[in-house]
Amino acid sequence: MLRREQENGTAKWVVNHKRVYRIYREEGLAMRRKKRKRFRAEARVPLVLPTRENQLWTMDFTRDGLASGRNFRTLNLMDGFTREAPRIEVDTSLPGSRVVRMLEEVAQERGYPEAIQVDNGPEFVSQAVDQWAYAHGVALHFIEPGKPVQNAFIESFNGKFRDECLNQNWFVSLEEARRVIEAWRVDYNTVRPHSSLGYRTPAEFAAEIGGEKGCGKDAAWKSKSNFSPPLGNPANPAGFPLSHSLGDGGPIPRAAEQLQNQAPSANL
């Protein structure tokens, strides 16, 4: 993130990874991740990687609760190629009709997908979703029951979403949950760089690459000759606190100021 900060077209910070890591530990910026149960390794079917925008969408549900004890659900939608999250729907109930309404609203903004990959939840196998998909020529790909690894794109997104947003906030009301979750979604799309996208944000990747080139470790766009200079951090319109801007009083600016003020160490 510090390397992406620019001023007058040049890098704003001289970053030494050892010093950054030391300040990162001292400021307690690392989030505690819940250790998940490890399962016996088995042969897995390779996930087919999409090669253009809107070729494959993927979606899934997550669940959380309000301070009052009332539960709510989120329906997370993601483009498998650009890694953009065009919508996170939040409500106490999300039946098949709400799934269709969300898909139609997103499709009106960015076009209909060729296929959507989902699990076998009752909302996704409902008649409402099936009729919508048939009417618009969208193929529904259902993973095998009990094998979420076949829907790895959205499962990875769900893990980040839970660790960085749901587990870090205490929601008093449904309206507050919607506001904070939407702020995190904007931050995820426009501020957070992804190593799988050549350290670009999903929004930058979609704007620069679009549907012209493929993805994966051997993709042509990952050649150094195709990289343009890193873009500066875009303004965060939602004000989400995970990716701080300078001067907002957060821990990342304090760490950056320490880096700028410290003299280079002879031991580094």
Side-chain angles (χ1 to χ4, degrees), residues 35-41 44:
K35 292 185 178 180
R36 295 173 174 84
K37 184 179 180 181
R38 297 180 65 89
F39 295 93
R40 178 172 57 88
R44 296 175 179 176

Side-chain angles (χ1 to χ4, degrees), residues 22-266:
R22 184 173 68 248
I23 296 175
Y24 177 82
R25 294 294 298 271
E26 291 175 353
E27 291 288 335
L29 299 179
M31 291 183 300
R32 296 183 61 183
R33 296 182 180 271
K34 182 179 179 181
K35 292 185 178 180
R36 295 173 174 84
K37 184 179 180 181
R38 297 180 65 89
F39 295 93
R40 178 172 57 88
E42 295 181 355
R44 296 175 179 176
V45 178
L47 180 67
V48 178
L49 296 176
T51 58
R52 57 189 177 276
E53 186 178 12
N54 283 349
Q55 180 182 0
L56 177 68
W57 289 1
T58 176
M59 59 183 176
D60 196 13
F61 288 98
T62 56
R63 184 185 300 272
D64 203 45
L66 303 175
S68 62
R70 187 181 186 187
N71 292 328
F72 66 88
R73 306 177 75 194
T74 71
L75 174 56
N76 308 331
L77 179 65
M78 180 183 181
D79 188 299
F81 177 63
T82 65
R83 305 298 201 274
E84 291 176 288
R87 183 72 67 86
I88 299 179
E89 194 79 2
V90 182
D91 212 330
T92 54
S93 177
L94 293 170
S97 57
R98 282 290 299 276
V99 175
V100 168
R101 188 173 78 181
M102 185 197 75
L103 290 173
E104 183 63 28
E105 290 174 354
V106 175
Q108 292 300 320
E109 297 173 0
R110 55 188 293 137
Y112 291 93
E114 298 176 26
I116 303 178
Q117 187 141 314
V118 293
D119 60 21
N120 295 272
E123 298 84 3
F124 299 145
V125 300
S126 66
Q127 187 176 21
V129 174
D130 182 67
Q131 290 178 344
W132 177 87
Y134 178 80
H136 299 287
V138 178
L140 294 177
H141 293 173
F142 296 94
I143 65 173
E144 296 179 55
K147 294 188 176 181
V149 70
Q150 295 181 0
N151 206 7
F153 289 138
I154 196 64
E155 291 296 335
S156 175
F157 176 86
N158 288 347
K160 296 180 179 69
F161 176 50
R162 182 162 295 282
D163 288 339
E164 298 175 7
C165 183
L166 298 182
N167 290 350
Q168 300 297 318
N169 292 278
W170 183 263
F171 303 116
V172 176
S173 64
L174 193 61
E175 290 72 22
E176 181 188 14
R178 287 171 175 156
R179 177 178 57 79
V180 173
I181 290 172
E182 175 62 15
W184 182 88
R185 187 190 68 84
V186 172
D187 182 274
Y188 177 90
N189 284 336
T190 62
V191 178
R192 167 201 261 268
H194 292 240
S195 59
S196 62
L197 302 179
Y199 292 97
R200 282 154 168 75
T201 67
E204 291 172 356
F205 179 78
E208 294 183 20
I209 306 299
E212 297 179 1
K213 301 178 182 179
C215 60
K217 65 179 182 179
D218 298 323
W221 64 266
K222 289 193 175 182
S223 169
K224 292 183 179 178
S225 61
N226 288 312
F227 283 174
S228 59
L231 303 178
N233 262 345
N236 182 2
F240 194 73
L242 281 179
S243 301
H244 295 279
S245 300
L246 294 179
D248 67 355
I252 292 179
R254 292 201 303 271
E257 291 175 4
Q258 293 182 36
L259 283 173
Q260 192 178 37
N261 296 330
Q262 283 182 342
S265 172

